[in-house]
């Protein structure tokens, strides 16, 4: 991981012009050995649009202090990597309506159609 600091445009009054409170943290996902090869491939595939040469960069400038922005950026990066490495959801098991539910649905449609038909002027 590498950190970069710059001037933030967020809250802070006059100190915005003098302090480097914006934080950018970059994580080389493609060469990271912290993740197993399976998890790394999954993360690279899911985060492909956010990566530049295999590096994921997150920026935070919400707070006035650099330390708070560091924590925010690290939390965002952690959340992104956790979501990207999560296992895929289980496939949905197809289900069918019960006979009673099917019957009730058709009866309600019939009732609704009758109501609308009765509202029309006689032809």
């Amino acid at each position: 991981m590498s950190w970069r600091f710059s001037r933030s445009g967020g809250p802070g009054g006059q100190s915005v012009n003098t302090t480097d409170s914006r934080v950018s943290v970059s994580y080389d996902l493609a060469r990271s050995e912290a993740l197993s090869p399976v998890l790394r491939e999954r993360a690279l595939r899911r985060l492909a649009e956010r990566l530049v040469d295999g590096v994921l960069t997150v920026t935070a400038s919400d707070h006035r202090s650099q330390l708070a922005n560091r924590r925010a950026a690290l939390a965002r990066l952690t959340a992104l990597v956790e979501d990207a490495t999560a296992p895929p959801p289980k496939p949905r098991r197809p289900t069918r309506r019960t006979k009673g539910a099917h019957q009730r649905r058709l009866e309600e449609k019939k009732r609704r159609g009758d109501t609308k038909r009765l509202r029309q002027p006689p032809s």
Side-chain angles (χ1 to χ4, degrees):
M1 281 197 311
S2 64
W3 298 86
R4 197 170 60 244
F5 308 101
S6 58
R7 292 192 181 138
S8 174
Q14 292 175 338
S15 72
V16 167
N17 301 325
T18 58
T19 57
D20 291 340
S21 59
R22 180 168 58 196
V23 174
S24 295
V25 60
S26 298
Y27 179 60
D28 194 347
L29 193 60
R31 283 181 239 151
S32 173
E33 294 183 12
L35 300 172
S36 69
V38 174
L39 292 179
R40 189 178 326 123
E41 286 303 316
R42 187 183 296 165
L44 287 171
R45 192 172 55 250
R46 289 183 180 172
L47 295 172
E49 294 178 4
R50 290 197 60 149
L51 299 177
V52 177
D53 296 329
V55 177
L56 176 64
T57 303
V58 176
T59 304
S61 61
D62 306 333
H63 306 282
R64 291 177 65 161
S65 73
Q66 188 185 95
L67 181 62
N69 283 330
R70 279 179 151 203
R71 289 179 180 147
L74 198 54
R76 288 181 195 166
L77 180 71
T78 304
L80 274 172
V81 173
E82 281 179 356
D83 287 347
T85 57
K90 291 183 179 180
R92 183 187 171 277
R93 251 180 70 204
T95 57
R96 291 179 61 175
R97 281 194 192 107
T98 62
K99 275 188 181 180
H102 184 70
Q103 199 66 31
R104 284 190 299 274
R105 181 180 145 269
L106 292 179
E107 287 170 5
E108 178 56 34
K109 282 171 69 89
K110 186 86 170 144
R111 231 184 342 265
R112 186 78 178 139
D114 290 343
T115 302
K116 290 188 170 199
R117 190 172 36 76
L118 290 172
R119 288 179 188 161
Q120 294 176 352
S123 52

